[in-house]
Amino acid sequence: MARQGEAESLSSAVGMDVKFYTLGHYATRFVRMMCLDVKTLHLDRLDRPGPYLIACSHMGNLEPVLLSSMMDRRVRWIARTEYYRTWIGNLFLTRCGTIPIQRTGQPPVRAIRRSIEHLAAGEIVGIFPEGGVQRREQVIFRGGVNRGGAAVIAMMARVPILPVIMLGTEKFNQVDPWLPGRGGKLWISVGEPIIPPPATRTTRRQLRRDLTTTVGRQFVELYQQTLSHFGLRDEQVP
């Protein structure tokens, strides 16, 4: 009886989380459509079945919310534990089904394990390979920071990585882009799936390094495609 009660309680909590995510998803989609001018390149690549890992550039704090609003399927984003410290942050992130990660200290074994579990269940997981908000030469699509977490998870879960570049998000902490009619601009580009190679115990480490290099190179190439396609210049991007 006790186990049955625990199962019912867990099922109820999961149902509440799904409802919360769905409500937030459609609310964000409505606000985005009313306030932002969004231009996309190969967004259809995200519309694929099965599990996969989104590796997204990180120039602001709203990439997870905005990209999720462009998709029909739920995304489990990996979020730094600092964002859980306030009660409202903890409530929001927990209800959205995010995966907490500790960036300092011990290796993030728990976050990696949870990510693999969700991917094994057929879900989508989102990660920021830069590990935090970056600018200029530190941005991954300029050949900057790439911590390799995407390669680790993708190889262990045996799922493809889809690189995503989002430009303009650094301005969305201000009020003006969100005022209807002001035309806050957002550019989203999705790269081709990167399939992790099969690995053995002796080749795993080198292949992981190679995959990390491949991911970084794909971001650089996707950025050049993005600038060319939308008629942007590098100096326009922070």
Side-chain angles (χ1 to χ4, degrees):
M1 292 294 291
R3 289 184 178 179
Q4 181 179 354
E6 291 175 1
E8 292 175 352
S9 177
L10 178 60
S11 177
S12 176
V14 170
M16 289 179 62
D17 290 351
V18 171
K19 291 178 181 177
F20 184 90
Y21 183 93
T22 302
L23 178 62
H25 177 269
Y26 284 106
T28 303
R29 179 174 289 187
F30 175 77
V31 172
R32 171 179 56 75
M33 293 175 65
M34 293 294 294
C35 301
L36 302 182
D37 177 16
V38 184
K39 300 183 186 300
T40 65
L41 177 62
H42 301 311
L43 190 68
D44 58 297
R45 288 172 175 168
L46 295 174
D47 184 21
R48 55 182 290 135
Y52 62 87
L53 185 68
I54 293 175
C56 186
S57 62
H58 203 18
M59 301 189 73
N61 294 311
L62 294 179
E63 284 96 347
V65 176
L66 291 169
L67 187 60
S68 294
S69 75
M70 306 291 296
M71 303 172 60
D72 292 328
R73 293 177 62 190
R74 182 179 187 176
V75 182
R76 300 270 188 178
W77 289 95
I78 298 176
R80 288 158 33 191
T81 53
E82 298 96 290
Y83 295 129
Y84 292 80
R85 289 176 182 169
T86 64
W87 72 267
I88 190 169
N90 183 66
L91 175 65
F92 178 80
L93 293 172
T94 301
R95 289 299 188 196
C96 286
T98 57
I99 302 168
I101 186 170
Q102 180 72 45
R103 288 205 308 160
T104 59
Q106 298 297 320
V109 176
R110 185 175 182 183
I112 293 173
R113 184 182 298 119
R114 285 191 58 187
S115 299
I116 293 170
E117 288 172 354
H118 287 300
L119 290 165
E123 297 187 74
I124 304 169
V125 172
I127 188 173
F128 299 105
E130 297 152 314
V133 174
Q134 303 292 345
R135 293 285 192 276
R136 300 311 307 171
E137 69 278 357
Q138 295 299 312
V139 179
I140 189 170
F141 53 70
R142 290 191 178 104
V145 178
N146 183 0
R147 299 185 180 275
V152 172
I153 294 172
M155 286 190 65
M156 295 182 72
R158 298 179 183 178
V159 298
I161 302 170
L162 267 69
V164 177
I165 289 177
M166 300 183 70
L167 304 179
T169 57
E170 75 283 350
K171 298 179 180 178
F172 294 152
N173 289 335
Q174 305 169 16
V175 175
D176 280 0
W178 295 103
L179 297 176
R182 297 300 292 270
K185 296 186 181 300
L186 173 65
W187 295 268
I188 304 174
S189 296
V190 183
E192 294 184 1
I194 303 170
I195 310 299
T200 64
R201 180 171 297 182
T202 56
T203 63
R204 186 180 300 124
R205 182 172 297 180
Q206 182 59 51
L207 289 175
R208 188 182 300 155
R209 287 195 291 262
D210 293 344
L211 181 58
T212 298
T213 300
T214 298
V215 169
R217 185 172 61 248
Q218 290 284 75
F219 266 101
V220 173
E221 293 176 1
L222 181 60
Y223 180 54
Q224 294 304 315
Q225 293 176 25
T226 301
L227 296 180
S228 176
H229 181 82
F230 295 120
L232 299 173
R233 301 187 309 275
D234 180 61
E235 55 267 27
Q236 294 176 282
V237 181

